[in-house]
Amino acid sequence: MARILIVEDEVDVLLLLENRLKGAGHEIETATDGVTALELITEREPDVVVLDWMMPRSDGLEVCERIRELHIDRDIKVLMLTARSLQHDVERAYAAGVDDFMVKPFSSRDLIDRVAALAATRRAVEPV
């Protein structure tokens, strides 16, 4: 089980993500904007952040860049989940520090598998 923070401003999508990831056995926190997300990341230190790009009060790219700046010593994994699908968007997201990138609409099974893989990678690099 991993600690997952879902950051999504569309309530229907947020609830779907929360339901699917809880069903896969993960502990879930949620935020609907970038500022709240950064506060929760500092307080809760999630293993994986599932992050929307287009949000109020700090977009997903800004949030990812701040995660990388603030948590240099922690290996928080970031999965960008967005409707943006152009190649230059993908490149910008990876340049901002995301670990994986998925386009909406998405397969729930693919999402669960990718989150599990990111969480496993994170655990593999944590000191024992």
Side-chain angles (χ1 to χ4, degrees):
M1 173 174 65
R3 288 182 318 267
I4 311 297
L5 173 62
I6 303 167
V7 188
E8 171 63 60
D9 64 324
E10 293 182 37
V11 175
D12 292 343
V13 176
L14 178 68
L15 293 173
L16 173 69
L17 293 167
E18 182 177 19
N19 182 31
R20 296 296 191 265
L21 292 170
K22 270 187 183 176
H26 299 293
E27 179 184 322
I28 305 297
E29 294 277 343
T30 63
T32 56
D33 66 78
V35 172
T36 304
L38 288 168
E39 291 169 0
L40 286 172
I41 289 164
T42 302
E43 293 171 11
R44 304 281 204 275
E45 297 186 355
D47 299 311
V48 178
V49 177
V50 177
L51 183 62
D52 185 23
W53 184 322
M54 297 174 284
M55 298 180 299
R57 300 183 63 206
S58 194
D59 70 29
L61 288 184
E62 293 166 348
V63 171
C64 188
E65 289 167 347
R66 291 291 295 152
I67 290 169
R68 297 303 179 224
E69 290 169 10
L70 297 173
H71 297 279
I72 295 168
D73 59 329
R74 295 222 46 232
D75 188 32
I76 296 172
K77 300 296 182 182
V78 177
L79 170 65
M80 180 71 71
L81 181 62
T82 180
R84 299 181 78 137
S85 62
L86 298 176
Q87 184 59 37
H88 76 272
D89 292 330
V90 176
E91 292 167 2
R92 286 179 62 202
Y94 280 110
V98 303
D99 297 289
D100 200 355
F101 188 96
M102 286 183 73
V103 177
K104 297 175 187 174
F106 58 92
S107 152
S108 293
R109 180 78 256 155
D110 192 23
L111 173 78
I112 291 166
D113 290 346
R114 288 182 187 215
V115 167
L118 288 171
T121 301
R122 186 187 179 288
R123 284 191 297 272
V125 298
E126 277 187 4
V128 179

